[in-house]
Amino acid sequence: MRPRAEWSSPARWRQVLLPFLMSLFCGALPDQIRYSIPEELAKNSVVGNLAKDLGLSVRDLPARKLRVSAEKEYFTVNPESGDLLVSDRIDREQICGKKSLCILDFDTVAENPLNIFHVAVLVQDINDNTPVFKHNKIDLKIGESTKPGKTFPLDPALDSDAGPNSLQRYHLNDNEHFDLSEKQTPNGHKYPELILKHFLDREKQSFHQLVLTAVDGGDPPQSGTTQIQIQVTDANDNPPVFNQDIYKVSLQEGVPRGFSVLRVTATDQDEGVNAEITYSFHNVDELVEQFFNLDKTTGEITTKDYFDFETANSYTLSVEAKDPGDLAAHCSIQVEILDENDCAPEVMMTSIFTPLPEDSPPGTVVALIKTRDRDSGENGEVYCSILGKADFILNSYSKNYYKLVTDGPLDREEIPEYNISVMATDRGKPPLSSSISITLHIADVNDNAPVFQQASYVVHVAENNPPGASIAQVSASDPDLGPNGRVSYSIVASDLEPRALASYVSVSAQSGVVFAQRAFDHEQLRAFELTLQARDQGSPALSANVSLRVLVGDRNDNAPRVLYPALGPDGSALFDTVPRAAQPGYLVTKVVAVDADSGHNAWLSYHVLQASEPGLFSLGLRTGEVRTARALGDRDAARQRLLVAVRDGGQPPLSATATLLLVFADSLQEALPDVSERQAPADPQAELQFYLVVALALISVLFLLAVILAVALRLGRSSSPTTWGCLRPGLCVKSGPVVPPNCSEGTLPYSYNLCVAHTGKTEFNFLKCNEQLSSGQDILLCNDSSGALIPLQDGHDLTAHPETFTQQAPPNTDWRFSQAQRPGTSGSQNGDETGTWPNNQFDTEMLQAMILASASEAADGSSTLGGGAGTMGLSARYGPQFTLQHVPDYRQNVYIPGSNATLTNAAGKRDGKAPAGGNGSKKKSGKKEKK
């Protein structure tokens, strides 16, 4: 190899040929990046700045990954500067042989985005090979009778260089008998011919020795020599003659060994020994002798080895026929090799992009594939296809390149990996093919939201549960991988107060287990709803919500509470009066109780624990109604005491007790002495309050009397005796409140002051009041024959509203209703006296709700007082017109102490019938009547 400074110096031949060759080169490859370099460059020599010529920025080279894609990499790319460097020895003669143009054509690939650039490098020849003759010595025999002008072909010298550096001329040393000429074979090879200038005279000189020199066109030129030894022989007049000078033969490249190619024939007009002809190859290279065999006697040419069209597609054979007198004839045989489809196409993977994200759009490049077929024509035309059904397609990219791209959306959860088989097939007959398998992994993206196993959850939790206990578990699945499929749980919404939510429930972020943070109370919270969220840890995160409804079940944790009878504000017991003439079945009173539980746990039953006279009274199992079982006897005591137990239906049942004090008397005045001896010791504070109340009452009465007198003077004509009868002073007496004032416990939110008229009768009636009683109003019992109860208006003249004194018709004592008509907690709408329970929890809960609704109605003060003897205005449900559509309440069970009356919403609806069993009255035990 010559130094670079030497081959870069100007030379005459290069100045002439190089522009011509470059013009041909540029015209042939207009779409390529082209460089020109001399052969035998040192390793890592710079060919050119490829990045600059491609228009790529040096800063982008690490990301673009510019590289050379070739079968044999003679070049490489500097990843930092983008220079195209020589990476291997480049021997033009080894690569291109005798071709006039030696071009290394290869591709460069840049990624991100993917681009392919075609590069062509013209390898310039340098004079690195010396012309060499095949033999160092050439022996010739020339007859002395040979005429001048006869030519003798000589073996040519071989020079591997091409162009100007190849073999250019021959010259012979000076002599008087021979001259030298140059000839050219049909394929362009030069060979020398020795020309006889004068007749030879064996007797003068039988042996001649010449020197043949071959010179190339290098600068400086190189040369090679061989010696020619000529022996002058006796005369042989006729040389052999071939039938034709040039033979042409075509052979398939797949012919077997020993196949007969051709038989050449030469004739000699001499006779005898001089006519014997011998055949031999003349002036052929090693490839000819490798593939062909020549029979010296017959001249038949046969094959010695298999032909390969891709290695050589033609051969030129030169055959010499020589007689014993060394007279020879020459012919040329041109053998053309016909291509057969014997090379299967090659398919190679240049680039593959794996793993591929599953959200890659259709048309994303998966791999770059290159094909090659060494055959020619249709045998070398290759097309690619994908085997089987796949979500990918092949697109022709450039020359023999294909891009494998996606044909649709990818889903890793459905197909996490693809095995793609690409087959390359040529167009030969029959076609040949080969295939390659590509394994493509799909990378996961967060494209799936968590999915709960159920659309909604409903759990039942019994109240009084231990805090921290697990009450439910939700579960959601996410088919994504890694953090994209890792689910965490949280509470995002609830119908509870936000501040109270944390004290009720919590959820485990990892397991989805819902924990109760406190013990639930069915009476405070029967149900609540949560919205749970399952969120994955992808970016961005995806989530799903589900509703969880928690139903708090009831347990029997509340004992029944007795609303009536209740103790007075001073702690004294209340008593009920029973007419002495009461017949069996007479309704004496009713025990009213409620239970905060629901269902069977709130279904109450009433039982007598103790009784002064066990057979005198009967108690309704479900209603709590106390009735006379027989008539009062002479031996029966006037005072009776009943101890009643109220039990609920829970397991185990809870209970409460109530004490009933019953006094047989025909009037309230008659009953007071019977209970006076049970008066409780006076409380000094209570006595002081009592005197203050009496003083205030006297002042109020005096003021009212003055107002009434003034009004009476003006309205004297319109007044009536019955009206004035109720306004006489000194006829009324105040009593303490008779209804327990604890409104928060479900009792009536009223306190009443009763004024009892001093008449000779033992019973009194109530008149209907057209206006509602407000809290704190006083009720006046007039000494009228009708016993009217009217409210006292502060600062108003009673005569201004005469309609309030309208006499009420006698009450209907036939108020009792059938067992099926009694709703409410103490009734038997859903049960009977035999203890039949409600059919389901829903009925009992509805019953409980209706009781509470009625209690709210009573608290509104919308009820009015009225009724007849023995009752305190029984509600409309006790009348014959009662139906189940009436809203039930438990005010039917609330009695005003000192009378047999109950609160009612329809006190004025009576049929005017007199009571059958007389009138009852109630009074606080231990309180004497004040006149």
Side-chain angles (χ1 to χ4, degrees):
M1 176 179 177
R2 297 179 183 273
R4 186 168 184 172
E6 181 177 336
W7 55 257
S8 62
S9 62
R12 183 182 61 183
W13 286 101
R14 183 170 302 171
Q15 291 176 355
V16 176
L17 294 177
L18 185 57
F20 174 73
L21 297 177
M22 287 299 296
S23 64
L24 294 176
F25 175 55
C26 296
L29 302 171
D31 58 342
Q32 294 178 323
I33 303 297
R34 306 171 184 86
Y35 297 98
S36 177
I37 63 169
E39 63 174 328
E40 301 293 347
L41 273 180
K43 190 176 182 179
N44 295 327
S45 297
V46 177
V47 177
N49 194 309
L50 182 61
K52 180 179 179 182
D53 296 336
L54 294 177
L56 303 179
S57 174
V58 177
R59 294 191 302 268
D60 297 336
L61 289 180
R64 296 301 302 272
K65 297 180 181 179
L66 186 64
R67 68 180 188 277
V68 174
S69 175
E71 300 171 17
K72 182 172 178 58
E73 293 188 357
Y74 292 101
F75 304 95
T76 186
V77 179
N78 188 326
E80 298 178 357
S81 63
D83 291 333
L84 183 65
L85 307 177
V86 176
S87 62
D88 199 357
R89 177 175 179 264
I90 301 176
D91 187 355
R92 184 187 185 284
E93 289 73 30
Q94 182 179 357
I95 297 173
C96 299
K98 291 293 184 178
K99 293 181 180 179
S100 58
L101 285 178
C102 184
I103 300 174
L104 292 180
D105 187 5
F106 59 92
D107 301 321
T108 58
V109 179
E111 299 180 2
N112 301 319
L114 179 67
N115 293 106
I116 296 178
F117 306 95
H118 305 294
V119 181
V121 178
L122 175 65
V123 180
Q124 300 175 1
D125 183 59
I126 63 173
N127 194 18
D128 58 342
N129 291 284
T130 303
V132 177
F133 287 92
K134 188 175 181 181
H135 303 287
N136 294 329
K137 184 177 66 173
I138 299 175
D139 293 327
L140 292 178
K141 290 181 180 183
I142 302 176
E144 61 181 352
S145 59
T146 303
K147 296 178 181 180
K150 175 67 176 177
T151 61
F152 301 93
L154 301 178
D155 291 336
L158 300 178
D159 191 346
S160 299
D161 294 328
N165 295 322
S166 63
L167 179 65
Q168 297 297 321
R169 64 188 182 277
Y170 296 90
H171 63 85
L172 194 66
N173 62 323
D174 295 336
N175 65 90
E176 60 178 344
H177 294 93
F178 297 94
D179 200 355
L180 189 66
S181 67
E182 293 181 359
K183 296 292 182 180
Q184 191 170 359
T185 62
N187 57 359
H189 294 294
K190 293 181 179 180
Y191 64 93
E193 280 189 348
L194 191 64
I195 303 174
L196 180 63
K197 294 193 298 182
H198 305 286
F199 283 102
L200 298 176
D201 188 358
R202 186 184 63 83
E203 287 73 22
K204 288 182 179 182
Q205 186 179 357
S206 62
F207 188 83
H208 297 269
Q209 188 168 356
L210 304 174
V211 175
L212 179 61
T213 302
V215 181
D216 62 17
D219 185 17
Q222 300 189 48
S223 62
T225 60
T226 184
Q227 291 184 357
I228 303 175
Q229 295 181 358
I230 301 174
Q231 182 182 358
V232 180
T233 62
D234 197 8
N236 185 8
D237 298 339
N238 298 296
V241 178
F242 281 101
N243 295 336
Q244 59 189 69
D245 293 335
I246 298 175
Y247 296 86
K248 293 183 178 181
V249 180
S250 297
L251 294 177
Q252 294 289 338
E253 65 174 326
V255 297
R257 295 176 181 176
F259 180 80
S260 177
V261 179
L262 179 67
R263 175 177 287 186
V264 296
T265 303
T267 59
D268 195 329
Q269 296 181 1
D270 294 328
E271 294 181 354
V273 177
N274 291 330
E276 294 179 1
I277 300 174
T278 302
Y279 301 93
S280 64
F281 286 122
H282 177 71
N283 190 21
V284 295
D285 55 21
E286 296 179 355
L287 289 177
V288 173
E289 294 181 352
Q290 177 183 352
F291 288 97
F292 298 95
N293 187 24
L294 176 61
D295 191 307
K296 295 182 179 182
T297 305
T298 62
E300 184 179 7
I301 301 173
T302 57
T303 60
K304 293 174 62 176
D305 201 350
Y306 296 103
F307 297 105
D308 188 359
F309 176 84
E310 290 69 36
T311 301
N313 56 7
S314 65
Y315 297 90
T316 301
L317 288 67
S318 179
V319 178
E320 181 184 61
K322 185 182 292 187
D323 60 14
D326 289 334
L327 296 177
H330 299 84
C331 72
S332 177
I333 304 171
Q334 296 179 2
V335 179
E336 180 184 6
I337 305 300
L338 302 179
D339 183 40
E340 288 188 352
N341 193 23
D342 59 341
C343 293
E346 301 177 38
V347 55
M348 295 163 286
M349 186 65 56
T350 301
S351 300
I352 182 170
F353 305 96
T354 182
L356 189 68
E358 62 176 325
D359 60 349
S360 300
T364 302
V365 178
V366 176
L368 184 64
I369 299 171
K370 181 179 181 181
T371 62
R372 184 184 66 174
D373 196 323
R374 296 175 60 195
D375 293 324
S376 62
E378 290 187 352
N379 297 332
E381 295 180 6
V382 180
Y383 64 92
C384 288
S385 61
I386 299 176
L387 298 178
K389 184 179 180 181
D391 297 331
F392 305 90
I393 57 176
L394 278 172
N395 292 333
S396 179
Y397 181 56
S398 173
K399 282 188 177 180
N400 51 349
Y401 282 92
Y402 289 87
K403 289 193 300 185
L404 181 66
V405 298
T406 58
D407 190 29
L410 305 175
D411 190 355
R412 188 209 63 81
E413 288 72 34
E414 183 177 351
I415 304 177
E417 180 181 288
Y418 289 90
N419 289 319
I420 309 168
S421 295
V422 178
M423 184 174 67
T425 307
D426 60 26
R427 300 186 185 277
K429 295 180 180 179
L432 300 178
S433 62
S434 60
S435 62
I436 187 173
S437 181
I438 303 171
T439 300
L440 178 64
H441 299 279
I442 306 301
D444 183 57
V445 297
N446 192 25
D447 58 344
N448 290 279
V451 177
F452 282 95
Q453 294 181 354
Q454 297 179 211
S456 62
Y457 294 83
V458 177
V459 295
H460 297 266
V461 182
E463 65 175 334
N464 303 327
N465 56 289
S470 170
I471 62 174
Q473 181 175 14
V474 297
S475 179
S477 60
D478 193 324
D480 292 325
L481 290 179
N484 296 334
R486 194 174 302 127
V487 179
S488 60
Y489 303 90
S490 61
I491 300 175
V492 295
S494 174
D495 55 1
L496 299 173
E497 288 293 334
R499 290 177 295 180
L501 175 62
S503 65
Y504 274 90
V505 290
S506 65
V507 63
S508 173
Q510 289 75 26
S511 62
V513 176
V514 181
F515 297 95
Q517 299 290 62
R518 62 188 296 178
F520 298 147
D521 188 355
H522 176 80
E523 288 71 39
Q524 295 182 1
L525 181 65
R526 297 196 176 189
F528 60 92
E529 189 167 338
L530 306 173
T531 300
L532 301 176
Q533 184 180 83
R535 176 182 291 268
D536 59 28
Q537 299 181 13
S539 180
L542 301 178
S543 62
N545 295 343
V546 71
S547 64
L548 171 65
R549 182 168 181 79
V550 180
L551 303 178
V552 181
D554 183 52
R555 286 184 175 176
N556 192 25
D557 57 347
N558 290 281
R561 184 163 58 90
V562 177
L563 299 181
Y564 184 82
L567 299 178
D570 55 356
S572 60
L574 303 179
F575 67 94
D576 291 288
T577 60
V578 183
R580 294 182 181 276
Q583 298 299 318
Y586 175 81
L587 176 61
V588 177
T589 185
K590 189 172 186 178
V591 179
V592 180
V594 294
D595 195 318
D597 292 323
S598 62
H600 286 185
N601 297 329
W603 197 252
L604 304 180
S605 61
Y606 301 85
H607 309 272
V608 177
L609 296 182
Q610 293 180 1
S612 300
E613 294 293 338
L616 185 56
F617 299 98
S618 64
L619 179 64
L621 178 64
R622 299 295 175 213
T623 63
E625 294 177 348
V626 179
R627 296 178 181 273
T628 55
R630 59 180 175 81
L632 180 66
D634 296 337
R635 297 183 179 181
D636 295 328
R639 292 179 301 172
Q640 299 290 330
R641 180 178 178 273
L642 292 179
L643 182 60
V644 177
V646 184
R647 296 191 185 97
D648 58 25
Q651 292 295 331
L654 302 178
S655 62
T657 59
T659 301
L660 298 177
L661 299 179
L662 306 176
V663 177
F664 282 90
D666 291 330
S667 65
L668 183 60
Q669 291 80 1
E670 183 181 354
L672 289 177
D674 294 333
V675 296
S676 60
E677 59 186 30
R678 299 172 56 186
Q679 182 178 3
D683 186 2
Q685 185 68 21
E687 291 182 359
L688 178 61
Q689 294 178 357
F690 174 76
Y691 291 132
L692 290 176
V693 171
V694 170
L696 181 60
L698 291 176
I699 294 173
S700 300
V701 169
L702 293 176
F703 175 76
L704 290 175
L705 289 176
V707 172
I708 293 172
L709 290 175
V711 174
L713 292 176
R714 299 180 60 182
L715 304 176
R717 295 180 181 180
S718 60
S719 60
S720 62
T722 57
T723 304
W724 289 101
C726 193
L727 300 177
R728 295 173 185 174
L731 297 181
C732 298
V733 61
K734 293 276 186 112
S735 66
V738 295
V739 178
N742 189 3
C743 301
S744 62
E745 296 182 0
T747 59
L748 293 175
Y750 302 97
S751 61
Y752 301 95
N753 295 325
L754 301 180
C755 295
V756 182
H758 291 275
T759 64
K761 299 181 181 179
T762 59
E763 58 185 15
F764 58 89
N765 296 327
F766 292 98
L767 286 178
K768 174 183 177 181
C769 295
N770 293 336
E771 296 184 5
Q772 284 187 335
L773 297 178
S774 61
S775 177
Q777 287 179 337
D778 295 337
I779 298 176
L780 179 65
L781 291 178
C782 300
N783 60 351
D784 194 308
S785 60
S786 61
L789 174 65
I790 62 173
L792 295 178
Q793 306 292 337
D794 296 336
H796 295 280
D797 189 359
L798 295 179
T799 61
H801 301 280
E803 65 274 9
T804 58
F805 299 97
T806 304
Q807 186 172 351
Q808 176 72 18
N812 180 16
T813 58
D814 190 13
W815 52 268
R816 288 172 302 224
F817 50 86
S818 64
Q819 194 68 24
Q821 290 178 322
R822 297 174 184 170
T825 307
S826 301
S828 58
Q829 179 181 353
N830 296 322
D832 52 24
E833 293 296 335
T834 60
T836 303
W837 296 103
N839 294 331
N840 50 53
Q841 184 177 356
F842 176 77
D843 295 337
T844 57
E845 289 181 352
M846 286 294 294
L847 189 60
Q848 186 74 2
M850 296 188 317
I851 293 175
L852 295 179
S854 300
S856 299
E857 181 183 353
D860 293 337
S862 60
S863 301
T864 58
L865 296 176
T871 69
M872 188 177 178
L874 293 176
S875 66
R877 68 177 61 87
Y878 283 86
Q881 71 275 17
F882 172 74
T883 62
L884 292 179
Q885 285 78 12
H886 290 77
V887 178
D889 56 53
Y890 60 84
R891 286 176 294 175
Q892 57 175 322
N893 302 325
V894 179
Y895 290 81
I896 296 179
S899 70
N900 288 344
T902 61
L903 292 179
T904 179
N905 289 331
K909 296 181 180 180
R910 295 292 181 267
D911 55 3
K913 294 182 181 181
N919 296 331
S921 63
K922 297 183 174 69
K923 181 72 176 177
K924 287 176 53 178
S925 175
K927 294 290 182 178
K928 294 182 177 181
E929 184 179 4
K930 295 182 181 180
K931 297 183 180 179

